[in-house]
Amino acid sequence: MVVGIVVAVVVLLVAGVVGKLYFDYVDEPGGGPGGEPVAQCALSDSLKQQAHVSSFRLIQAPAEAEKGMKQTHCAWEQTKGRDGRNPRTIHVLVYDYAKFSDKADRNEEMAEGNYTSFTSYASGSQAKQVDGLGDQAMVVIPSSSTDLTEVNLLVRKGAVVWNIRYFGRDRGFLSDSAFPVDDAEAVARRTAEELVR
């Protein structure tokens, strides 16, 4: 009788753990459809589909002041039930120095300094120059856990700097795993190609 009760309790515990793992596995991440994107962060439908993101969130709007650096920070995240069960996110930070001062050369120098400050920490095989994007571009693949893929793409064109970060993971039943870095690089590059004009 006691052995039967112990076995029943163990079976219930195992079933509970397996059930929780299963429901976590099949539950899709994301929230609502988000807001209307600002021009600095607007992406094509085909890119959003490739990146598995469709929900826009404006984190920081640029200042309304006539002079000074204009910073925009936005994110593209998943819409629950639309973008799949593997979490993905694109963050875009735009540092626009075009109206920092009345001197165009000074504005471009400020953007160059901003770009250099971002790229100065990147070295070795995790960072490489990228041709064909803006005046300067570098992709950085930070060291991260084995269950996360992350790519940062830094681009400067004239007096504007873009910092594009695409990251996510593939969900598994017992544990998550990274997805191919080449896929993440392709999304980050295409994001830059659409935003850097």
Side-chain angles (χ1 to χ4, degrees), residues 62 81 94 119 158 171:
V94 184
T119 60
R171 293 173 69 180

Side-chain angles (χ1 to χ4, degrees), residues 42-54 76 82-83 90 166 183 186-187 190-191 193-194:
L43 302 178
S44 68
D45 289 341
S46 63
L47 174 53
K48 290 183 283 187
Q49 187 174 25
Q50 177 184 354
H52 303 284
V53 296
S54 60
W76 283 97
R82 180 174 176 179
D83 296 312
I90 299 174
Y166 181 56
D183 293 351
V187 167
R190 190 168 168 203
T191 301
E193 288 170 349
E194 292 194 4

Side-chain angles (χ1 to χ4, degrees), residues 9-137:
V9 168
V10 169
V11 168
L12 286 174
L13 284 172
V14 169
V17 169
V18 170
K20 180 173 180 355
L21 288 172
Y22 174 75
F23 285 115
D24 287 347
Y25 174 70
V26 297
D27 186 38
E28 291 188 356
E36 195 64 34
V38 296
Q40 297 91 327
C41 301
L43 302 178
S44 68
D45 289 341
S46 63
L47 174 53
K48 290 183 283 187
Q49 187 174 25
Q50 177 184 354
H52 303 284
V53 296
S54 60
S55 178
F56 177 77
R57 184 165 56 97
L58 181 61
I59 298 168
Q60 179 181 351
E64 295 293 328
E66 189 175 321
K67 297 281 186 208
M69 189 266 289
K70 311 256 189 239
Q71 180 176 334
T72 305
H73 183 188
C74 56
W76 283 97
E77 300 168 334
Q78 293 185 288
T79 303
K80 191 174 183 95
R82 180 174 176 179
D83 296 312
R85 62 182 189 80
N86 296 318
R88 300 287 193 270
T89 304
I90 299 174
H91 275 256
V92 177
L93 287 104
V94 184
Y95 303 89
D96 187 346
Y97 291 89
K99 295 184 178 177
F100 182 78
S101 73
D102 292 329
K103 299 178 181 175
D105 290 349
R106 174 72 177 135
N107 298 345
E108 193 161 328
E109 283 175 18
M110 293 297 294
E112 285 178 23
N114 181 294
Y115 177 85
T116 301
S117 71
F118 282 128
T119 60
S120 61
Y121 69 90
S123 61
S125 60
Q126 69 169 5
K128 60 186 177 187
Q129 299 295 320
V130 178
D131 295 325
L133 288 175
D135 299 318
Q136 295 174 286

